[in-house]
């Protein structure tokens, strides 16, 4: 296994380059601009304001009552904002006369979400049952990896493991970010520290509502470590309806997380090949924590990919 000092140097080099790349225009936005120009050319519209008005009319079956009505369309096509809901995003894509393949990329690439959003009772849908079964299988694999010593420390028995998924996940997540060893120890002893994350975690693990790709990547890493790889990450993202890791893909905020994760997982596999699983898991936690500290110091909170709001409680 490589020395952590050498690894840290590589990590900081990658982090700095990731920040630079994240300042560039999203490739997904460049793609959308090409679709928009195609639409204008198809109808011979030279003025963007008129094209935006036509798109508004197609989306809402009414002409804009005032100039500000089309402002959101201008923001979407220039990257200042994304549609608030996927229904808006799809209406926008259909108004631009995108084909099915383009609509799929609009949601998975530009909008950075899964191809489907499951609301209410979706058990009748085969694709939902398949994806839910995959998530349940990953959760069970995760619980099977909890060592007896940790169960004892947290006051959990093998029989009650599943009921404690939230606290197990929460305390593991803390090891990937900059929260401090003392707080991790206190959280292990007190289950109340993670209670604010209960409903959010349960909802996303049940695949209910919108689950961002960034959140799903975090789930896959925490549930899958130390047996996670680039290949397995791509496979599971695809099975859950998301884009697999892509060299040039950006998150909705422009972050080049894919670029960073590809290299982090390659570094992980190369550094930990042949090592014990426990040592491998610790290596990855340390690497993520070092990146988290760096991005926090630089004020690049959007790149703290293992951090989530409930951890600051």
């Amino acid at each position: 296994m490589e020395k952590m000092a050498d690894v840290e140097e590589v990590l900081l080099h990658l982090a700095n380059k990731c920040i630079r790349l994240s300042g560039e225009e999203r490739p997904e936005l460049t793609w959308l601009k090409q679709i928009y120009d195609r639409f204008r050319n198809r109808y011979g519209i030279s003025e963007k304001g008129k094209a935006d008005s036509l798109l508004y009319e197609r989306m809402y079956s009414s002409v804009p009552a005032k100039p500000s009505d089309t402002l959101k369309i201008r923001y979407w096509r220039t990257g200042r904002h994304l549609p608030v809901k996927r229904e808006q995003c799809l209406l926008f894509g259909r108004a631009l006369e995108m084909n099915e393949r383009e609509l799929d990329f609009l949601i998975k690439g530009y909008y950075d979400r899964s191809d489907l959003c499951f609301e209410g009772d979706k058990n009748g849908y085969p694709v939902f049952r398949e994806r839910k079964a995959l998530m349940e299988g990953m959760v069970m694999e995760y619980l099977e990896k909890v060592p007896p010593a940790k169960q004892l420390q947290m006051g959990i028995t093998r029989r009650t493991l599943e009921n404690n998924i939230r606290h197990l996940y929460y305390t593991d997540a803390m090891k990937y970010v900059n929260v401090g060893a003392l707080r991790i120890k206190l959280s292990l002893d007190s289950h109340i520290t993670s209670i604010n994350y209960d409903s959010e975690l349960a909802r996303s693990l049940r695949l209910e509502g919108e689950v961002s790709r960034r959140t799903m990547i975090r789930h896959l890493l925490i549930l899958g470590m130390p047996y996670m790889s680039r290949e397995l990450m791509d496979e599971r993202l695809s099975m859950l309806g998301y884009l697999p890791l892509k060299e040039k893909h950006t998150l909705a905020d422009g972050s080049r997380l894919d670029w960073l994760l590809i290299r982090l997982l390659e570094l992980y596999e190369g550094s930990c090949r042949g090592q014990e699983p426990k040592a491998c898991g610790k290596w990855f936690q340390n690497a993520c924590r070092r990146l988290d500290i760096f991005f926090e110091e630089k004020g690049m909170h959007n790149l703290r990919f293992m951090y989530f709001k409930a951890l600051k409680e």
Side-chain angles (χ1 to χ4, degrees), residues 2-3 24 54 66 83 97 106 137 144 151 157 163 165 197 210 229-230 282 303:
E2 296 181 39
K3 293 180 180 179
E24 298 175 359
L54 178 57
K66 51 189 183 299
E97 300 183 352
L106 180 71
E144 289 171 0
Q151 294 177 46
T157 66
N163 295 331
I165 176 65
Y197 191 53
E210 291 285 7
S229 65
R230 163 80 188 279
K282 188 174 182 180
L303 286 170

Side-chain angles (χ1 to χ4, degrees), residues 22 41 47 78 81 95-96 114 117 128 170 184 192 225 263 285 288 304 312:
S22 296
N41 292 334
E47 296 181 26
T78 58
H81 297 291
L96 283 165
S114 174
C117 178
F128 174 71
Y170 185 89
I184 293 174
I192 196 69
M225 278 295 165
R263 284 152 183 81
Q285 289 170 351
C288 288
R304 299 180 67 192
K312 74 175 182 180

Side-chain angles (χ1 to χ4, degrees), residues 71-193:
L71 194 59
K72 60 186 175 184
I73 291 175
R74 189 175 80 187
Y75 285 168
W76 297 342
R77 64 173 172 78
T78 58
R80 288 189 61 179
H81 297 291
L82 291 183
V84 175
K85 296 182 179 180
R86 74 166 52 222
E87 290 77 12
Q88 270 188 327
C89 193
L90 287 169
L91 282 174
F92 182 47
R94 292 185 180 112
L96 283 165
E97 300 183 352
M98 291 186 183
N99 59 37
E100 289 303 313
R101 180 181 56 82
E102 290 167 339
L103 285 171
D104 185 65
F105 184 75
L106 180 71
I107 293 296
K108 292 161 69 172
Y110 166 79
Y111 203 50
D112 200 38
R113 303 291 175 88
S114 174
D115 58 348
L116 299 171
C117 178
F118 302 109
E119 301 281 3
D121 184 11
K122 295 293 183 180
N123 285 316
Y125 292 77
V127 66
F128 174 71
R129 293 200 303 270
E130 291 172 6
R131 294 179 184 181
K132 186 179 178 183
L134 173 61
M135 287 300 300
E136 289 173 347
M138 287 190 287
V139 168
M140 293 310 299
E141 289 175 7
Y142 170 71
L143 294 175
E144 289 171 0
K145 291 180 290 188
V146 180
K150 184 174 181 179
Q151 294 177 46
L152 182 63
Q153 182 181 6
M154 299 177 71
I156 297 172
T157 66
R158 179 59 61 176
R159 191 180 308 172
T160 62
L161 265 178
E162 193 169 352
N163 295 331
N164 287 277
I165 176 65
R166 173 254 299 168
H167 196 62
L168 289 163
Y169 180 103
Y170 185 89
T171 52
D172 274 347
M174 294 176 77
K175 298 173 185 175
Y176 292 83
V177 299
N178 183 29
V179 297
L182 177 60
R183 184 160 164 229
I184 293 174
K185 183 181 184 306
L186 292 173
S187 294
L188 283 168
D189 298 336
S190 175
H191 288 223
I192 196 69
T193 56

